[in-house]
Amino acid sequence: MSVSEVLLRVVCAFLALLLLTRLMGRKELRQLTFFNFVSGITIGSITADLIASETFSLRNGLTALTAWAALTIVMGFIDIRSQKARQVLEGDPVILIQNGRILKEALQRVRLDVDALKALLRQKNAFSVSEVAFAVLETDGNLSVMKKENQQPAVKQDVHPAAPPKPDYLPTKVISDGVLHQPNLAKLELSEEWVQQQVNQAGFSSISEIFYAELQRDGSLYIDAAQTK
């Protein structure tokens, strides 16, 4: 392969990656889920072959890059429109610490040991497990931490409390895309009748009218209605 051909391949690969990355969206850069990880590795492998392999023609390389990018875009649309597809492609967040207790079964499920968990907690300025009320391992591998109330910075409401404290929950998804999330209902010990009652009190007749709803820390239900076309 001549130097001029290598340079041509490098320029074509660079321009193709720049264009296709813009088309695939910022999610590929913002969060690295299982699907994004596989997609990134595959695109990198195709690009490497396109630049360096003499048996891989420029036309075939650009075709492979375009086809894979198109597949990624299509899967992205499916991910947005289907909750089940999201669970298959990206998985679900996993609660590792709940009410200040480490969930050993959850650690085993995500293949994480206590030392690794403590390292992730330190990155969130939580140097002791005793400071943490909830810790959730997100689908992109990041750890979200909610500290216990006495470990959180004081706010105006703490100085002038408006009402007695209510039961403390981790904000949890209850409805998504007009569908009840049954596993979360079971964990929260909530009934479908209670959710339906809250939906009715908010002025809606059916759960299918709700785009997203989650249980708040104070036990109330946040409701976001689906937009009508």
Side-chain angles (χ1 to χ4, degrees), residues 89-113:
L89 293 175
E90 300 184 359
D92 287 319
V94 179
I95 299 176
L96 301 182
I97 299 177
Q98 184 172 21
N99 295 323
R101 293 182 60 254
I102 297 176
L103 305 182
K104 297 180 181 178
E105 297 80 4
L107 285 181
Q108 293 173 356
R109 196 188 332 151
V110 298
R111 296 176 179 84
L112 200 67
D113 58 60

PDB file of all heavy atoms in Angstrom, residues 89-113:
ATOM      1  N   LEU A  89     -30.955  -3.566  25.921  1.00  0.00           N
ATOM      2  CA  LEU A  89     -29.769  -2.922  25.375  1.00  0.00           C
ATOM      3  C   LEU A  89     -28.873  -2.320  26.456  1.00  0.00           C
ATOM      4  O   LEU A  89     -27.643  -2.390  26.367  1.00  0.00           O
ATOM      5  CB  LEU A  89     -30.177  -1.819  24.390  1.00  0.00           C
ATOM      6  CG  LEU A  89     -30.853  -2.283  23.094  1.00  0.00           C
ATOM      7  CD1 LEU A  89     -31.305  -1.073  22.285  1.00  0.00           C
ATOM      8  CD2 LEU A  89     -29.911  -3.136  22.271  1.00  0.00           C
ATOM      9  N   GLU A  90     -29.493  -1.707  27.483  1.00  0.00           N
ATOM     10  CA  GLU A  90     -28.710  -0.954  28.452  1.00  0.00           C
ATOM     11  C   GLU A  90     -28.748  -1.530  29.865  1.00  0.00           C
ATOM     12  O   GLU A  90     -27.913  -1.187  30.691  1.00  0.00           O
ATOM     13  CB  GLU A  90     -29.200   0.500  28.494  1.00  0.00           C
ATOM     14  CG  GLU A  90     -29.075   1.207  27.145  1.00  0.00           C
ATOM     15  CD  GLU A  90     -29.479   2.663  27.228  1.00  0.00           C
ATOM     16  OE1 GLU A  90     -29.867   3.103  28.332  1.00  0.00           O
ATOM     17  OE2 GLU A  90     -29.406   3.357  26.205  1.00  0.00           O
ATOM     18  N   GLY A  91     -29.740  -2.391  30.143  1.00  0.00           N
ATOM     19  CA  GLY A  91     -29.875  -2.913  31.489  1.00  0.00           C
ATOM     20  C   GLY A  91     -30.582  -1.924  32.397  1.00  0.00           C
ATOM     21  O   GLY A  91     -31.050  -0.863  31.960  1.00  0.00           O
ATOM     22  N   ASP A  92     -30.656  -2.229  33.673  1.00  0.00           N
ATOM     23  CA  ASP A  92     -31.308  -1.378  34.668  1.00  0.00           C
ATOM     24  C   ASP A  92     -30.294  -0.938  35.714  1.00  0.00           C
ATOM     25  O   ASP A  92     -29.326  -1.653  35.998  1.00  0.00           O
ATOM     26  CB  ASP A  92     -32.443  -2.132  35.377  1.00  0.00           C
ATOM     27  CG  ASP A  92     -33.655  -2.316  34.484  1.00  0.00           C
ATOM     28  OD1 ASP A  92     -33.992  -1.361  33.766  1.00  0.00           O
ATOM     29  OD2 ASP A  92     -34.258  -3.400  34.514  1.00  0.00           O
ATOM     30  N   PRO A  93     -30.490   0.252  36.291  1.00  0.00           N
ATOM     31  CA  PRO A  93     -29.654   0.641  37.438  1.00  0.00           C
ATOM     32  C   PRO A  93     -29.822  -0.365  38.579  1.00  0.00           C
ATOM     33  O   PRO A  93     -30.888  -0.954  38.741  1.00  0.00           O
ATOM     34  CB  PRO A  93     -30.199   2.023  37.822  1.00  0.00           C
ATOM     35  CG  PRO A  93     -30.925   2.509  36.610  1.00  0.00           C
ATOM     36  CD  PRO A  93     -31.466   1.289  35.936  1.00  0.00           C
ATOM     37  N   VAL A  94     -28.760  -0.551  39.350  1.00  0.00           N
ATOM     38  CA  VAL A  94     -28.778  -1.527  40.448  1.00  0.00           C
ATOM     39  C   VAL A  94     -28.491  -0.808  41.760  1.00  0.00           C
ATOM     40  O   VAL A  94     -27.482  -0.099  41.879  1.00  0.00           O
ATOM     41  CB  VAL A  94     -27.732  -2.640  40.219  1.00  0.00           C
ATOM     42  CG1 VAL A  94     -27.742  -3.624  41.383  1.00  0.00           C
ATOM     43  CG2 VAL A  94     -27.996  -3.365  38.907  1.00  0.00           C
ATOM     44  N   ILE A  95     -29.382  -0.973  42.732  1.00  0.00           N
ATOM     45  CA  ILE A  95     -29.176  -0.383  44.061  1.00  0.00           C
ATOM     46  C   ILE A  95     -28.163  -1.238  44.822  1.00  0.00           C
ATOM     47  O   ILE A  95     -28.374  -2.427  45.037  1.00  0.00           O
ATOM     48  CB  ILE A  95     -30.493  -0.298  44.837  1.00  0.00           C
ATOM     49  CG1 ILE A  95     -31.501   0.592  44.099  1.00  0.00           C
ATOM     50  CG2 ILE A  95     -30.257   0.243  46.242  1.00  0.00           C
ATOM     51  CD1 ILE A  95     -32.872   0.648  44.752  1.00  0.00           C
ATOM     52  N   LEU A  96     -27.050  -0.617  45.218  1.00  0.00           N
ATOM     53  CA  LEU A  96     -26.000  -1.328  45.946  1.00  0.00           C
ATOM     54  C   LEU A  96     -26.062  -1.068  47.453  1.00  0.00           C
ATOM     55  O   LEU A  96     -25.675  -1.915  48.246  1.00  0.00           O
ATOM     56  CB  LEU A  96     -24.620  -0.921  45.414  1.00  0.00           C
ATOM     57  CG  LEU A  96     -24.373  -1.175  43.921  1.00  0.00           C
ATOM     58  CD1 LEU A  96     -22.955  -0.757  43.554  1.00  0.00           C
ATOM     59  CD2 LEU A  96     -24.610  -2.634  43.566  1.00  0.00           C
ATOM     60  N   ILE A  97     -26.520   0.125  47.830  1.00  0.00           N
ATOM     61  CA  ILE A  97     -26.706   0.454  49.245  1.00  0.00           C
ATOM     62  C   ILE A  97     -28.120   0.989  49.406  1.00  0.00           C
ATOM     63  O   ILE A  97     -28.526   1.907  48.684  1.00  0.00           O
ATOM     64  CB  ILE A  97     -25.691   1.505  49.727  1.00  0.00           C
ATOM     65  CG1 ILE A  97     -24.258   0.972  49.588  1.00  0.00           C
ATOM     66  CG2 ILE A  97     -25.963   1.898  51.178  1.00  0.00           C
ATOM     67  CD1 ILE A  97     -23.192   1.984  49.985  1.00  0.00           C
ATOM     68  N   GLN A  98     -28.869   0.423  50.332  1.00  0.00           N
ATOM     69  CA  GLN A  98     -30.259   0.826  50.555  1.00  0.00           C
ATOM     70  C   GLN A  98     -30.475   1.042  52.043  1.00  0.00           C
ATOM     71  O   GLN A  98     -30.184   0.161  52.849  1.00  0.00           O
ATOM     72  CB  GLN A  98     -31.220  -0.230  50.031  1.00  0.00           C
ATOM     73  CG  GLN A  98     -32.687   0.157  50.127  1.00  0.00           C
ATOM     74  CD  GLN A  98     -33.579  -0.842  49.413  1.00  0.00           C
ATOM     75  OE1 GLN A  98     -33.188  -1.982  49.185  1.00  0.00           O
ATOM     76  NE2 GLN A  98     -34.761  -0.409  49.045  1.00  0.00           N
ATOM     77  N   ASN A  99     -30.944   2.232  52.378  1.00  0.00           N
ATOM     78  CA  ASN A  99     -31.168   2.581  53.792  1.00  0.00           C
ATOM     79  C   ASN A  99     -29.920   2.342  54.634  1.00  0.00           C
ATOM     80  O   ASN A  99     -29.989   1.873  55.775  1.00  0.00           O
ATOM     81  CB  ASN A  99     -32.347   1.800  54.359  1.00  0.00           C
ATOM     82  CG  ASN A  99     -33.660   2.176  53.690  1.00  0.00           C
ATOM     83  OD1 ASN A  99     -33.889   3.343  53.367  1.00  0.00           O
ATOM     84  ND2 ASN A  99     -34.521   1.193  53.459  1.00  0.00           N
ATOM     85  N   GLY A 100     -28.759   2.658  54.034  1.00  0.00           N
ATOM     86  CA  GLY A 100     -27.500   2.552  54.763  1.00  0.00           C
ATOM     87  C   GLY A 100     -26.913   1.154  54.846  1.00  0.00           C
ATOM     88  O   GLY A 100     -25.870   0.966  55.471  1.00  0.00           O
ATOM     89  N   ARG A 101     -27.541   0.160  54.202  1.00  0.00           N
ATOM     90  CA  ARG A 101     -27.061  -1.223  54.241  1.00  0.00           C
ATOM     91  C   ARG A 101     -26.552  -1.649  52.872  1.00  0.00           C
ATOM     92  O   ARG A 101     -27.220  -1.417  51.854  1.00  0.00           O
ATOM     93  CB  ARG A 101     -28.171  -2.172  54.684  1.00  0.00           C
ATOM     94  CG  ARG A 101     -28.609  -1.979  56.128  1.00  0.00           C
ATOM     95  CD  ARG A 101     -29.684  -2.974  56.515  1.00  0.00           C
ATOM     96  NE  ARG A 101     -29.228  -4.356  56.389  1.00  0.00           N
ATOM     97  CZ  ARG A 101     -29.602  -5.184  55.416  1.00  0.00           C
ATOM     98  NH1 ARG A 101     -30.428  -4.774  54.466  1.00  0.00           N
ATOM     99  NH2 ARG A 101     -29.156  -6.418  55.388  1.00  0.00           N
ATOM    100  N   ILE A 102     -25.372  -2.272  52.849  1.00  0.00           N
ATOM    101  CA  ILE A 102     -24.823  -2.797  51.595  1.00  0.00           C
ATOM    102  C   ILE A 102     -25.591  -4.061  51.216  1.00  0.00           C
ATOM    103  O   ILE A 102     -25.752  -4.975  52.036  1.00  0.00           O
ATOM    104  CB  ILE A 102     -23.321  -3.114  51.749  1.00  0.00           C
ATOM    105  CG1 ILE A 102     -22.527  -1.844  52.051  1.00  0.00           C
ATOM    106  CG2 ILE A 102     -22.793  -3.771  50.485  1.00  0.00           C
ATOM    107  CD1 ILE A 102     -21.054  -2.092  52.304  1.00  0.00           C
ATOM    108  N   LEU A 103     -26.060  -4.119  49.979  1.00  0.00           N
ATOM    109  CA  LEU A 103     -26.796  -5.287  49.489  1.00  0.00           C
ATOM    110  C   LEU A 103     -25.804  -6.251  48.832  1.00  0.00           C
ATOM    111  O   LEU A 103     -25.346  -6.035  47.714  1.00  0.00           O
ATOM    112  CB  LEU A 103     -27.870  -4.846  48.492  1.00  0.00           C
ATOM    113  CG  LEU A 103     -28.863  -3.791  49.006  1.00  0.00           C
ATOM    114  CD1 LEU A 103     -29.901  -3.467  47.941  1.00  0.00           C
ATOM    115  CD2 LEU A 103     -29.545  -4.275  50.291  1.00  0.00           C
ATOM    116  N   LYS A 104     -25.447  -7.302  49.561  1.00  0.00           N
ATOM    117  CA  LYS A 104     -24.434  -8.237  49.090  1.00  0.00           C
ATOM    118  C   LYS A 104     -24.840  -8.921  47.785  1.00  0.00           C
ATOM    119  O   LYS A 104     -24.016  -9.124  46.900  1.00  0.00           O
ATOM    120  CB  LYS A 104     -24.156  -9.290  50.165  1.00  0.00           C
ATOM    121  CG  LYS A 104     -23.576  -8.720  51.453  1.00  0.00           C
ATOM    122  CD  LYS A 104     -23.324  -9.804  52.474  1.00  0.00           C
ATOM    123  CE  LYS A 104     -22.774  -9.230  53.770  1.00  0.00           C
ATOM    124  NZ  LYS A 104     -22.558 -10.279  54.801  1.00  0.00           N
ATOM    125  N   GLU A 105     -26.127  -9.283  47.674  1.00  0.00           N
ATOM    126  CA  GLU A 105     -26.599  -9.950  46.457  1.00  0.00           C
ATOM    127  C   GLU A 105     -26.428  -9.049  45.236  1.00  0.00           C
ATOM    128  O   GLU A 105     -26.059  -9.503  44.155  1.00  0.00           O
ATOM    129  CB  GLU A 105     -28.057 -10.371  46.594  1.00  0.00           C
ATOM    130  CG  GLU A 105     -28.324 -11.395  47.688  1.00  0.00           C
ATOM    131  CD  GLU A 105     -28.403 -10.783  49.069  1.00  0.00           C
ATOM    132  OE1 GLU A 105     -28.332  -9.534  49.169  1.00  0.00           O
ATOM    133  OE2 GLU A 105     -28.512 -11.541  50.048  1.00  0.00           O
ATOM    134  N   ALA A 106     -26.684  -7.746  45.428  1.00  0.00           N
ATOM    135  CA  ALA A 106     -26.538  -6.792  44.324  1.00  0.00           C
ATOM    136  C   ALA A 106     -25.074  -6.660  43.920  1.00  0.00           C
ATOM    137  O   ALA A 106     -24.754  -6.589  42.725  1.00  0.00           O
ATOM    138  CB  ALA A 106     -27.114  -5.437  44.716  1.00  0.00           C
ATOM    139  N   LEU A 107     -24.178  -6.637  44.898  1.00  0.00           N
ATOM    140  CA  LEU A 107     -22.743  -6.574  44.598  1.00  0.00           C
ATOM    141  C   LEU A 107     -22.309  -7.783  43.781  1.00  0.00           C
ATOM    142  O   LEU A 107     -21.547  -7.664  42.809  1.00  0.00           O
ATOM    143  CB  LEU A 107     -21.930  -6.494  45.884  1.00  0.00           C
ATOM    144  CG  LEU A 107     -21.904  -5.158  46.626  1.00  0.00           C
ATOM    145  CD1 LEU A 107     -21.028  -5.283  47.873  1.00  0.00           C
ATOM    146  CD2 LEU A 107     -21.400  -4.041  45.739  1.00  0.00           C
ATOM    147  N   GLN A 108     -22.789  -8.958  44.179  1.00  0.00           N
ATOM    148  CA  GLN A 108     -22.431 -10.174  43.449  1.00  0.00           C
ATOM    149  C   GLN A 108     -22.981 -10.156  42.025  1.00  0.00           C
ATOM    150  O   GLN A 108     -22.326 -10.613  41.089  1.00  0.00           O
ATOM    151  CB  GLN A 108     -22.953 -11.393  44.206  1.00  0.00           C
ATOM    152  CG  GLN A 108     -22.269 -11.626  45.550  1.00  0.00           C
ATOM    153  CD  GLN A 108     -22.909 -12.736  46.354  1.00  0.00           C
ATOM    154  OE1 GLN A 108     -23.923 -13.295  45.953  1.00  0.00           O
ATOM    155  NE2 GLN A 108     -22.329 -13.054  47.510  1.00  0.00           N
ATOM    156  N   ARG A 109     -24.194  -9.597  41.874  1.00  0.00           N
ATOM    157  CA  ARG A 109     -24.818  -9.564  40.553  1.00  0.00           C
ATOM    158  C   ARG A 109     -24.023  -8.699  39.571  1.00  0.00           C
ATOM    159  O   ARG A 109     -23.920  -9.015  38.393  1.00  0.00           O
ATOM    160  CB  ARG A 109     -26.243  -9.044  40.671  1.00  0.00           C
ATOM    161  CG  ARG A 109     -27.090  -9.338  39.438  1.00  0.00           C
ATOM    162  CD  ARG A 109     -28.440  -8.649  39.482  1.00  0.00           C
ATOM    163  NE  ARG A 109     -28.913  -8.421  40.840  1.00  0.00           N
ATOM    164  CZ  ARG A 109     -29.711  -7.425  41.170  1.00  0.00           C
ATOM    165  NH1 ARG A 109     -30.105  -6.541  40.249  1.00  0.00           N
ATOM    166  NH2 ARG A 109     -30.132  -7.283  42.409  1.00  0.00           N
ATOM    167  N   VAL A 110     -23.467  -7.585  40.061  1.00  0.00           N
ATOM    168  CA  VAL A 110     -22.711  -6.695  39.179  1.00  0.00           C
ATOM    169  C   VAL A 110     -21.211  -6.976  39.243  1.00  0.00           C
ATOM    170  O   VAL A 110     -20.412  -6.249  38.658  1.00  0.00           O
ATOM    171  CB  VAL A 110     -22.980  -5.218  39.526  1.00  0.00           C
ATOM    172  CG1 VAL A 110     -24.436  -4.882  39.320  1.00  0.00           C
ATOM    173  CG2 VAL A 110     -22.544  -4.892  40.954  1.00  0.00           C
ATOM    174  N   ARG A 111     -20.836  -8.052  39.984  1.00  0.00           N
ATOM    175  CA  ARG A 111     -19.437  -8.481  40.100  1.00  0.00           C
ATOM    176  C   ARG A 111     -18.543  -7.356  40.625  1.00  0.00           C
ATOM    177  O   ARG A 111     -17.518  -7.009  40.039  1.00  0.00           O
ATOM    178  CB  ARG A 111     -18.918  -8.995  38.750  1.00  0.00           C
ATOM    179  CG  ARG A 111     -19.644 -10.230  38.270  1.00  0.00           C
ATOM    180  CD  ARG A 111     -19.177 -10.663  36.879  1.00  0.00           C
ATOM    181  NE  ARG A 111     -19.870 -11.861  36.451  1.00  0.00           N
ATOM    182  CZ  ARG A 111     -21.070 -11.864  35.874  1.00  0.00           C
ATOM    183  NH1 ARG A 111     -21.705 -10.724  35.677  1.00  0.00           N
ATOM    184  NH2 ARG A 111     -21.633 -12.993  35.492  1.00  0.00           N
ATOM    185  N   LEU A 112     -18.963  -6.801  41.761  1.00  0.00           N
ATOM    186  CA  LEU A 112     -18.230  -5.713  42.393  1.00  0.00           C
ATOM    187  C   LEU A 112     -17.934  -6.106  43.834  1.00  0.00           C
ATOM    188  O   LEU A 112     -18.816  -6.604  44.536  1.00  0.00           O
ATOM    189  CB  LEU A 112     -19.084  -4.439  42.367  1.00  0.00           C
ATOM    190  CG  LEU A 112     -18.379  -3.097  42.546  1.00  0.00           C
ATOM    191  CD1 LEU A 112     -17.485  -2.805  41.352  1.00  0.00           C
ATOM    192  CD2 LEU A 112     -19.411  -1.981  42.693  1.00  0.00           C
ATOM    193  N   ASP A 113     -16.688  -5.926  44.275  1.00  0.00           N
ATOM    194  CA  ASP A 113     -16.370  -6.234  45.663  1.00  0.00           C
ATOM    195  C   ASP A 113     -16.482  -4.982  46.516  1.00  0.00           C
ATOM    196  O   ASP A 113     -16.618  -3.859  46.013  1.00  0.00           O
ATOM    197  CB  ASP A 113     -14.970  -6.856  45.787  1.00  0.00           C
ATOM    198  CG  ASP A 113     -13.888  -5.952  45.229  1.00  0.00           C
ATOM    199  OD1 ASP A 113     -13.743  -4.827  45.745  1.00  0.00           O
ATOM    200  OD2 ASP A 113     -13.192  -6.359  44.278  1.00  0.00           O
TER     201      ASP A 113
END
